[in-house]
Amino acid sequence: MRAIQITEFGGPEVLTLTELPDPEPGPRELLVEVTRAGINYADTHQAENSYLAPATLPMVPGSEVAGRTADGRRIVALTTGGGYAEKAVVDPNTAYDIPEGVTDEAALALVVQGATAWVLLRKSARMQPGESVVVHAAAGGVGTLAVQLARLFGAGRVIAVASSADKRDLALDLGADAVVDSAAPDMTAALIEANGGRRVDVVLDMVGGRVTDESVRALAPFGRLAFYGMASRELPSPVKLPNLMRFSTTVAGMWLPHVWMLPGDVMGQAMAEMFTLVADGDLRTVTGGVHPLAQAREAHEALRSRGTIGKLLLDPTA
């Protein structure tokens, strides 16, 4: 089968198209003919071995696929790797049947980015109806869904932060009440101004560095910042615990694999709710591009440039 393989760590240049043997599923695994593979920002960290979970070489990257099983089921699934390929092996416990009315592309937008947005709002930030919600990188895969889910969950005001006029227009089209330029020289002041002069209740942040520091300073008493990525590759300042007490604020981290450690089927609940919202036309997924498998390198370059919108996908059939 054709697959993208990494044999040395580095930037997008290490992603190489090659021929590999078909993967062999174990007794409790499913073999999937991949129709689409999802690309995540975390994949760019994995390629350079700067992700939370250390990588080993050689490897086929890719943590999510959509396709068909041998018995004809159409599924979307998370993997422990191997997604950038024509075939992949998945655990049935992380596979979800795609319902009628939901495309493979939409399902892939939900299984990582959508679930991340859902968990950030429901679990990490515990957003309450009427609260103000800031979404950084609002035109990205998580951001486009978080803007909509915050609105659907009853946010009083949704503030979208994005780097270009086109991206900010997209966020407004998706339901944001106000937008902020990500290059604002003082993010604290910009967020407060966008919230009508009031400090904000919830911030979803995957940028890091200065943006995180200044977003924390924009929180209202009992406000929460949920941190789930570091696209800037810049560390924010260490959180000083007395400051959290002084302003009654919370800074939380979130890594999606920990959802499986929670009691109950939280991931299944999130997927079922979002599948219904998409099928009913209440939640819109945004596809930023479908690249042939051989163009994985170009897709990573585009993602790292932060010039993309929505969900990026690979087409192993092309």
Side-chain angles (χ1 to χ4, degrees), residues 77-206:
L78 295 170
T79 75
T80 56
Y84 291 12
E86 293 179 313
K87 297 179 181 180
V89 168
V90 304
D91 182 341
N93 294 316
T94 60
Y96 305 90
D97 288 287
I98 303 174
E100 292 296 323
V102 178
T103 65
D104 289 0
E105 290 82 1
L108 277 168
L110 299 179
V111 74
V112 170
Q113 277 84 7
T116 295
W118 192 97
V119 172
L120 286 167
L121 291 166
R122 292 287 202 204
K123 296 292 185 181
S124 301
R126 298 187 183 274
M127 190 210 92
Q128 299 299 309
E131 290 189 317
S132 55
V133 177
V134 173
V135 180
H136 284 292
V142 175
T144 52
L145 293 164
V147 165
Q148 298 175 79
L149 289 174
R151 171 65 64 212
L152 290 166
F153 295 166
R157 188 168 179 83
V158 179
I159 300 163
V161 185
S163 61
S164 70
D166 287 346
K167 290 182 176 183
R168 293 191 289 274
D169 286 344
L170 172 62
L172 290 170
D173 186 52
L174 293 173
D177 298 291
V179 291
V180 170
D181 189 339
S182 61
D186 184 340
M187 186 58 69
T188 302
L191 295 181
I192 293 172
E193 180 182 358
N195 198 35
R198 299 178 301 278
R199 292 180 174 273
V200 299
D201 298 307
V202 172
V203 176
L204 308 185
D205 175 35
M206 55 82 67

Side-chain angles (χ1 to χ4, degrees), residues 32-37 65-68 82-83 85-88 314-317:
V32 179
E33 293 275 354
V34 181
T35 56
R36 294 288 187 272
V65 297
R68 289 196 179 272
E86 293 179 313
K87 297 179 181 180
L314 289 176
D315 180 0
T317 70

Side-chain angles (χ1 to χ4, degrees), residues 8 40 94 131 168 179 186 209 217 229 258 275 279 291:
E8 61 178 328
N40 293 304
T94 60
E131 290 189 317
R168 293 191 289 274
V179 291
D186 184 340
R217 289 196 285 272
H258 290 144
F275 276 149
H291 296 260

Side-chain angles (χ1 to χ4, degrees), residues 243-307:
N243 286 342
L244 298 183
M245 184 173 63
R246 182 176 301 142
F247 299 105
S248 296
T249 51
T250 298
V251 175
M254 200 284 283
W255 190 31
L256 192 60
H258 290 144
V259 169
W260 279 269
M261 298 180 183
L262 295 173
D265 185 8
V266 174
M267 186 68 176
Q269 179 185 350
M271 293 301 293
E273 182 175 358
M274 291 187 294
F275 276 149
T276 298
L277 290 170
V278 170
D280 290 347
D282 295 323
L283 181 64
R284 169 185 163 195
T285 61
V286 178
T287 300
V290 181
H291 296 260
L293 186 64
Q295 292 181 7
R297 181 180 304 182
E298 289 83 351
H300 272 225
E301 288 170 349
L303 193 59
R304 287 178 62 126
S305 75
R306 299 180 66 186

